[in-house]
Amino acid sequence: MARVLVGVKRVIDYAVKIRVKPDKKGVVTDGVKHSMNPFDEIAVEEAVRMKEKKLASEIIAVSCGPPQSQEVLRTALAMGVDKGIHVEVSGSDYDTLQPIHVSKILAKIAQQEKVDLIIVGKQAIDDDSNQTAQMTAAVLDWPQATFASKVEKDDKGLTVTREIDGGLETIKCKIPAVISADLRLNEPRYATLPNIMKAKKKPITKITPKDLGVDVSPRIKILSVEDPPVRQAGVILPDVDTLVTKLKEGGHIP
Amino acid sequence: MLSRYSRQFAAQLSNQLKRLQSTLVIAEHNNETLSPITQNAISAAQKLGGEITVLVVGTKCGPAVEKLTKAKGVQRVLVAESDTFKGFLAETVAPLILASQKQFNFTHILAGATAFSKAVLPRVAAKLDVSPVTDVIGIKSADTFVRSIYAGNAIQTLTANDAIKVLTVRGTSFEPSNLEGGSAASEKAPEGDYTSDLTSFVGQELSKSDRPELTSANVVVSGGRGLKSGDNFKLLYDLADKLKAAVGASRAAVDAGYVPNDMQVGQTGKIVAPDLYIAVGISGAIQHLAGMKDSKTIVAINKDPEAPIFQVSDYGLVADLFKVVPELTGKL
């Protein structure tokens, strides 16, 4: 049975309308609702289903970030994860923490914990990078099954259906492997109140990147964060004929 | 005299520096035809200055190589044709890119942001120990890039400190480059054993369509939950055929099973920026707007006057789509 590591990121809730800071250094995060990155919920759900099917023995969740990251670890524990590891990164280090750093951290923990599978979301909805799974696989020299919409595990390895631009493709890969979860992989469960209570008793270990020997010095300098250009307000048209006229005027139709 | 000399020297130096820039563009193709996004990637590479090399990897590279050797601004085409690259797996393509990098010492490695390059380039970057930059929408200089974050709700400008820049660029943000007027030499990519037993390709199930490809279409007609069923998408196909448009969908329509997921437009689907985008029965969630709000003209058809889509649309029709879409199709 496989030991599974899942990566979970605390991000601004997907339904929040974000605001750019007046000094253009970033977006306002204080006092804003945060939750688990939606793709990571899918990753956790997949790991828990593997355990329910007796394909996985233990699930470990890792989150890198400020102390509040423990909240998303608790959520993962309430969904069925066995234990959490919080890799504390705060302040300016967290502002420039990137997938390259996180992938090295995940790779180190994967080796220490002797895991067979790493499952992460395909991208975080804050930085929209879509890099961590691929980079973790590279660091470990493991195969990668990115943008997975179906994962089947047997003794020999994994059969994974991937979402690609023109449709779907199927690959087989050896274990150990890194999987990145796409939206269609599953429907994550809600944590029930009894499970939330139980999760409070599950262990969360706190470590730092330094403990793992991972250098988190910045690879980028953020020059500015600004609002996107605002679209001019449009008009509501009374009927189809007016729309056809407007499309003709715009040169969209002959 | 001295100042003239130093000015000359500075000009020479800057020319030399420019020559020192060199970009490897990873071509995208399906062994039959070159993907249009490769042209957008070449035009992004031109903004960086310096020499441009294009790498074509696959089981059959001929058609793509033929086009790329004539592409304007391309100096060299590297070709790696082998059955090893069946399925364009990251585990085989990444080592080839690394071998090419080792031989030619590119300052930039770049590709259009697609499912293929998003899988491969971060793997390459990690091996080079550099931090990649995803989905670049603007190039300010050789090390300063613009990208969108938070589903397109903020625009970040960053300087990448790493010596080698690994970039994926958003196709819709760069004009397609000209595939004529150039004469590049094609040569074999560095030879090596790129086979990998980590992963094997089993097969593909591609959605077949006679309509234009979604990400490069001039007109896109998209449907959402308001369509109520997959069968009703026929209304949109009819309209799309009249407009020679591609058909897209919101996440709601994909999740409800009306259409396959490769039609999804949004933060987690495809990003499009056509001349005309017609959103039918789509409310306009943040996630969907991220994929289409750079369209030149947006038309929204929705019966809910409060739908957020009307805040970004140029022309809105508050009406029942089942009545007005057939009417519109009939009048075109």
Side-chain angles (χ1 to χ4, degrees):
Chain A
M1 278 203 290
R3 289 169 60 77
V4 183
L5 184 71
V6 289
V8 291
K9 185 175 186 181
R10 176 179 178 266
V11 298
I12 293 182
D13 190 85
Y14 74 94
V16 171
K17 176 98 184 73
I18 62 131
R19 281 185 303 131
V20 169
K21 282 185 191 165
D23 67 1
K24 297 184 174 176
K25 294 274 187 256
V27 304
V28 177
T29 54
D30 288 344
V32 173
K33 187 188 175 196
H34 282 67
S35 40
M36 191 191 295
N37 178 41
F39 289 97
D40 301 347
E41 289 185 16
I42 297 169
V44 170
E45 175 68 29
E46 195 65 18
V48 173
R49 288 186 190 188
M50 279 185 184
K51 196 175 172 190
E52 286 167 349
K53 285 188 222 152
K54 312 266 184 240
L55 295 169
S57 54
E58 189 180 32
I59 311 169
I60 306 156
V62 178
S63 192
C64 306
Q68 298 93 317
S69 300
Q70 293 204 6
E71 295 158 16
V72 298
L73 284 173
R74 286 286 166 214
T75 307
L77 294 170
M79 288 172 74
V81 165
D82 298 295
K83 64 176 189 180
I85 299 175
H86 173 216
V87 184
E88 189 165 351
V89 185
S90 304
S92 66
D93 275 351
Y94 187 61
D95 291 338
T96 55
L97 191 77
Q98 287 190 282
I100 189 168
H101 307 115
V102 175
S103 61
K104 288 178 182 182
I105 290 168
L106 290 178
K108 271 277 157 59
I109 293 174
Q111 285 167 330
Q112 283 182 0
E113 297 283 342
K114 299 193 167 49
V115 305
D116 310 285
L117 287 177
I118 301 175
I119 313 179
V120 295
K122 87 160 175 184
Q123 76 192 63
I125 60 163
D126 51 1
D127 65 21
D128 282 333
S129 286
N130 192 333
Q131 298 168 354
T132 301
Q134 298 88 312
M135 298 187 84
T136 308
V139 174
L140 290 163
D141 264 320
W142 289 4
Q144 61 183 51
T146 44
F147 328 143
S149 60
K150 193 175 164 198
V151 177
E152 287 167 309
K153 182 181 170 293
D154 59 37
D155 298 340
K156 288 188 209 111
L158 300 172
T159 303
V160 180
T161 305
R162 304 179 57 227
E163 299 202 359
I164 57 168
D165 289 334
L168 299 171
E169 76 171 29
T170 308
I171 58 166
K172 278 185 187 291
C173 59
K174 283 192 172 171
I175 292 175
V178 182
I179 301 166
S180 80
D182 215 321
L183 275 180
R184 250 71 59 178
L185 183 58
N186 59 48
E187 188 82 38
R189 70 193 62 192
Y190 289 102
T192 59
L193 188 60
N195 285 342
I196 293 170
M197 300 310 287
K198 268 188 238 165
K200 293 191 179 189
K201 296 199 183 92
K202 293 183 181 175
I204 293 180
T205 319
K206 199 170 103 175
I207 54 173
T208 66
K210 214 176 157 193
D211 297 333
L212 297 165
V214 174
D215 176 13
V216 294
S217 56
R219 301 302 191 95
I220 57 157
K221 185 169 177 228
I222 299 168
L223 299 181
S224 69
V225 174
E226 293 175 61
D227 284 311
V230 184
R231 286 190 79 95
Q232 291 284 329
V235 288
I236 298 293
L237 306 175
D239 52 34
V240 172
D241 288 326
T242 323
L243 175 60
V244 173
T245 311
K246 291 284 185 192
L247 291 180
K248 275 185 185 158
E249 280 170 12
H252 297 295
I253 51 172
Chain B
M1 172 80 189
L2 189 70
S3 79
R4 203 175 71 190
Y5 175 75
S6 71
R7 222 177 311 148
Q8 261 180 357
F9 180 73
Q12 258 174 14
L13 188 71
S14 104
N15 267 337
Q16 270 169 358
L17 280 176
K18 228 177 181 165
R19 263 206 304 276
L20 286 175
Q21 301 275 8
S22 61
T23 302
L24 177 68
V25 174
I26 316 299
E28 184 150 352
H29 68 123
N30 63 1
N31 295 315
E32 298 297 332
T33 51
L34 183 72
S35 301
I37 196 161
T38 309
Q39 290 168 256
N40 308 102
I42 292 172
S43 118
Q46 283 168 337
K47 289 202 189 311
L48 293 165
E51 246 189 26
I52 297 173
T53 301
V54 182
L55 173 67
V56 184
V57 48
T59 53
K60 189 179 155 206
C61 299
V65 172
E66 194 189 326
K67 288 215 155 159
L68 288 164
T69 44
K70 291 183 209 137
K72 203 170 172 205
V74 174
Q75 273 80 34
R76 188 196 290 127
V77 179
L78 296 176
V79 186
E81 183 174 283
S82 161
D83 285 343
T84 306
F85 303 116
K86 192 180 166 201
F88 303 99
L89 296 169
E91 291 81 353
T92 59
V93 176
L96 169 72
I97 297 173
L98 291 166
S100 309
Q101 170 63 26
K102 201 172 171 194
Q103 181 171 343
F104 295 100
N105 286 313
F106 301 105
T107 53
H108 296 75
I109 302 176
L110 181 154
T114 59
F116 162 70
S117 71
K118 282 182 180 177
V120 175
L121 284 194
R123 195 170 175 107
V124 170
K127 287 289 182 195
L128 296 169
D129 194 19
V130 306
S131 178
V133 188
T134 300
D135 226 351
V136 168
I137 60 171
I139 293 173
K140 293 218 155 168
S141 72
D143 65 357
T144 301
F145 312 111
V146 185
R147 59 185 302 268
S148 74
I149 52 175
Y150 290 96
N153 287 294
I155 306 295
Q156 183 187 57
T157 305
L158 63 90
T159 298
N161 297 333
D162 290 311
I164 306 164
K165 323 300 184 209
V166 177
L167 316 166
T168 60
V169 297
R170 184 175 295 181
T172 54
S173 300
F174 298 91
E175 290 296 317
S177 64
N178 200 334
L179 284 182
E180 274 157 31
S183 60
S186 82
E187 56 184 272
K188 273 196 170 175
E191 307 251 7
D193 181 11
Y194 303 115
T195 53
S196 167
D197 63 349
L198 296 176
T199 310
S200 59
F201 177 75
V202 179
Q204 276 184 345
E205 215 180 294
L206 300 181
S207 312
K208 288 226 156 52
S209 165
D210 297 332
R211 292 189 191 88
E213 204 266 320
L214 190 52
T215 50
S216 54
N218 287 326
V219 183
V220 173
V221 178
S222 276
R225 201 195 302 273
L227 268 292
K228 294 202 173 91
S229 80
D231 291 341
N232 290 334
F233 258 75
K234 184 168 185 307
L235 294 174
L236 300 194
Y237 297 140
D238 292 344
L239 175 59
D241 290 342
K242 278 275 173 81
L243 291 163
K244 295 189 175 60
V247 178
S250 69
R251 185 183 157 187
V254 173
D255 283 350
Y258 301 169
V259 291
N261 55 274
D262 57 292
M263 283 169 64
Q264 185 183 324
V265 171
Q267 182 183 20
T268 59
K270 295 205 170 73
I271 291 165
V272 301
D275 289 334
L276 176 63
Y277 188 90
I278 305 181
V280 181
I282 291 176
S283 64
I286 294 173
Q287 186 315 113
H288 184 75
L289 299 183
M292 47 64 81
K293 68 187 171 120
D294 292 328
S295 305
K296 288 202 182 72
T297 302
I298 298 174
V299 173
I301 299 174
N302 203 302
K303 65 180 177 194
D304 174 11
E306 304 295 319
I309 191 78
F310 289 122
Q311 288 162 24
V312 300
S313 65
D314 301 281
Y315 305 119
L317 270 184
V318 180
D320 180 3
L321 71 93
F322 294 103
K323 194 178 142 277
V324 298
V325 172
E327 188 186 341
L328 178 60
T329 307
K331 283 177 175 163
L332 290 176

